[in-house]
Amino acid sequence: MYTQSLDLPGQTPAALASVDTPDKRQAAFDARMAEDAKIEPMDWMPDAYRKTLVRQISQHAHSEIIGMQPEGNWISRAPSLKRKAILLAKVQDEGGHGLYLYSAAETLNASRDDLVDALHAGRAKYSSIFNYPTLTWADVGVIGWLVDGAAIMNQIPLCRCSYGPYARAMIRICKEESFHQRQGFDALLAMMRGTQAQRDMVQDAVNRWWFPVLMMFGPPDAASTNSAQTMAWGIKRISNDDLRQKFVDATVEQAKVLGVTLPDPGLVWNAERGHYDYSPLDWDEFWRVINGDGPCNRERLATRVKAHEDGAWVRDAALAHARKRARRDASAKAA
Ligand SMILES: [Fe+2]
Ligand SMILES: [Fe+2]
């Protein structure tokens, strides 16, 4: 069974195992934070730290799994065998990312069944971006270029997250996200070198995705309620607005190479700041979509619930097999 946990009972690092009063435990945890050391599953940690991680890691896992849908929709319609093979690999990677992350959440004593139930019941959040439709093949390329590109920007700092299993999961995930971003850019480049109709299709997709992608970094710092605490805990390393700015600055140059126009007249170089300025985002739209009323929220959730129900026989068979093996082992021991 794949696990993110490196610690086994009895191997708890001495610094935290040897302290036994609440004050001392908190002080040892704080010292760990101060020296930027990792927290591992068997270590003592404050309840709020654990809860925050379970929420963030599970929302991340849900996003990976729901994120399979917009592109999965195009696997049977990919324009060539090569593009189909690439897209299949990419969508399977996203499923794998979900599994590493659910495993990381389980190291915090969260139950995967509970997390999945919360998603299916609409109680859990996932990235707002996956509630937008993929109308043309160009959308698949734009998701790779912009959505996976934004995901990398968000996720690279998480490789240094203070919680060990999450940080280690992110290292592998980021390597795969890099492939996702490149395949998207490559698909778009091929279309931009094609016919005028293909170039128009790419531009239309960029026009529709640009602003929702910028919202993937979350609300502005001033309105982001959890940010200060998650920064202090070493879970979050760079603020929403700083990540968004880094993404804008990097992407403007890539858009020039592609030959597409980013759909924001306010996007201009600010020599004084040394960054690109951009227009204010429509945060009402963000909150509407994140709270369940985006173009595809209902469809995404219904598809996910159906996939889970259709897979019930696989889970039942795996459990029956495990029970049979346990019985066999028990009778072998008794003999
Ligand atoms: Fe992913
Ligand atoms: Fe990805």
Side-chain angles (χ1 to χ4, degrees), residues 201-263:
M201 200 189 279
V202 173
Q203 184 61 57
D204 174 64
V206 170
N207 292 349
R208 284 182 286 109
W209 287 90
W210 176 248
F211 289 109
V213 164
L214 292 189
M215 292 184 217
M216 280 175 69
F217 295 94
D221 295 346
S224 184
T225 41
N226 297 322
S227 276
Q229 183 60 75
T230 50
M231 296 273 254
W233 277 331
I235 297 172
K236 195 174 176 61
R237 299 286 185 176
I238 307 179
S239 80
N240 294 355
D241 285 333
D242 288 350
L243 284 169
R244 191 168 9 249
Q245 184 70 63
K246 270 163 81 85
F247 176 77
V248 169
D249 291 347
T251 309
V252 168
E253 300 306 320
Q254 294 166 9
K256 284 183 195 162
V257 175
L258 266 184
V260 296
T261 306
L262 297 174

Side-chain angles (χ1 to χ4, degrees), residues 64 94 97 148 173 177 180:
E64 300 282 357
E94 306 299 7
H97 297 174
D148 289 277
I173 288 176
E177 295 301 354
H180 300 170

Side-chain angles (χ1 to χ4, degrees), residues 136 138 191-192 194-204:
T136 70
M191 277 184 271
M192 292 305 286
T195 64
Q196 188 57 46
Q198 285 175 303
R199 282 190 287 278
D200 291 347
M201 200 189 279
V202 173
Q203 184 61 57
D204 174 64

